[in-house]
Amino acid sequence: MISSQRQHVILSRLRTRGAVRITALSKELGVSSMTIRRDIAELADKGLLKRVHGGAVTTSTLLAEPLFSVKSQMDIGLKDAIARQAINYVSPGDVIAIGGGTTAYIFAQHLLESENSSGITILTNSIPVAELVQAMENKDAEVIVTGGVLTRSNSLVGPIADKVISSLRVNTLFLGTHSVSMPRGFLTPNSLESATDAALINIADRKIVLADHTKWDNTSLSMFASFDSIDVLITDDGLNPEYAAQAKDLVKELVLASQGDTDKERE
């Protein structure tokens, strides 16, 4: 397959999925990862896609959210490091809320494997998070699902979700984000999801956003939270120092997770 044919396939996958992985494309097209990287670089130079760590996303990310199955394979190490820091903000018996998206899902995985999850109640609008709790052999955690309209990221949003959320109260909220805009705040492509995220913020005593450094390179349509409405922002130490300095002034607490520490724990 010549380069123009490969690039046609890459753009086709982007149109249907919103994002692609280099490793998956390499396997599908039977070429090396280096070849796919060159194809992606050429397409990026033409403004037809945007390169991200491990793959590419569509240039129309203002309005499009990649599928959960695609996003869950991207920037795993960064999300893992952030998730491990986030579980320190949960105590046994807490009532917490976990939003949609893959970073929040990875946080839920680590939380449910820890002693911190003992006796907790989780409110979530994430189908994968709800399924994760239900699949646990140890049923020590309880899950409440909001209901609502299902998005591409497997989140439940809209008026039904918002009404359920508004009737409840939680100790701590953990939210992911599609993009971070300095100094505005946190954004998502889906206006219904933005409203549901805002509803979750309104019922939480403490609000925590989980966002790896690549989110500063994105842009999006709808803002669901300003910096001053968030208590803790957990990102990774790959964040541009200039952005880190600005964020530190804007948010009440900034945490920089180290992917290196996560690697050492695995060893």
Side-chain angles (χ1 to χ4, degrees):
M1 185 180 290
I2 62 176
S3 61
S4 60
Q5 292 174 317
R6 290 193 306 270
Q7 291 174 15
H8 176 78
V9 172
I10 292 170
L11 293 175
S12 177
R13 299 295 180 270
L14 276 175
R15 280 192 293 272
T16 58
R17 302 174 186 172
V20 291
R21 288 279 296 168
I22 289 173
T23 51
L25 287 169
S26 174
K27 183 177 181 180
E28 178 183 352
L29 300 177
V31 295
S32 68
S33 296
M34 185 60 68
T35 297
I36 298 298
R37 286 191 181 92
R38 284 197 296 266
D39 288 335
I40 287 176
E42 289 181 18
L43 292 168
D45 289 341
K46 296 174 184 176
L48 298 175
L49 54 73
K50 180 179 177 180
R51 284 186 289 178
V52 297
H53 182 74
V57 296
T58 176
T59 53
S60 60
T61 50
L62 273 171
L63 298 172
E65 179 77 3
L67 292 171
F68 183 91
S69 58
V70 175
K71 289 175 62 181
S72 64
Q73 299 301 313
M74 304 184 75
D75 304 312
I76 295 174
L78 303 179
K79 296 172 182 178
D80 196 65
I82 291 168
R84 290 177 183 274
Q85 286 290 330
I87 63 174
N88 295 321
Y89 292 84
V90 181
S91 298
D94 275 354
V95 179
I96 69 170
I98 301 178
T102 55
T103 307
Y105 175 75
I106 292 173
F107 158 69
Q109 286 181 310
H110 285 292
L111 175 61
L112 293 171
E113 292 170 357
S114 75
E115 294 181 355
N116 299 37
S117 66
S118 176
I120 65 171
T121 298
I122 299 173
L123 168 67
T124 188
N125 67 324
S126 167
I127 294 295
V129 169
E131 291 176 341
L132 187 65
V133 179
Q134 285 300 101
M136 289 175 56
E137 292 184 8
N138 179 4
K139 300 294 183 180
D140 198 25
E142 180 180 352
V143 64
I144 301 169
V145 184
T146 64
V149 179
L150 190 63
T151 70
R152 286 170 58 87
S153 60
N154 283 4
S155 300
L156 295 165
V157 301
I160 294 174
D162 299 349
K163 185 174 181 179
V164 171
I165 291 166
S166 66
S167 67
L168 302 171
R169 192 78 192 173
V170 299
N171 301 127
T172 307
L173 165 67
F174 298 87
L175 277 180
T177 183
H178 182 268
S179 59
V180 182
S181 174
M182 309 286 287
R184 293 178 63 209
F186 307 94
L187 301 96
T188 180
N190 187 318
S191 58
L192 286 178
E193 187 163 15
S194 177
T196 298
D197 285 346
L200 285 166
I201 287 171
N202 286 337
I203 67 161
D205 295 328
R206 179 171 57 181
K207 284 78 72 173
I208 299 176
V209 169
L210 314 175
D212 68 74
H213 75 270
T214 66
K215 301 301 173 66
W216 272 258
D217 296 327
N218 294 338
T219 187
S220 205
L221 177 69
S222 181
M223 189 173 80
F224 62 85
S226 60
F227 277 95
D228 60 8
S229 66
I230 299 301
D231 296 297
V232 185
L233 171 58
I234 305 179
T235 183
D236 62 272
D237 56 5
L239 183 63
N240 181 303
E242 182 179 342
Y243 287 151
Q246 292 177 29
K248 191 173 183 179
D249 290 336
L250 292 168
V251 76
K252 296 172 186 175
E253 181 181 352
L254 177 68
V255 178
L256 299 177
S258 173
Q259 188 174 350
D261 290 343
T262 301
D263 294 338
K264 288 177 183 177
E265 285 183 27
R266 287 174 175 167
E267 291 174 4

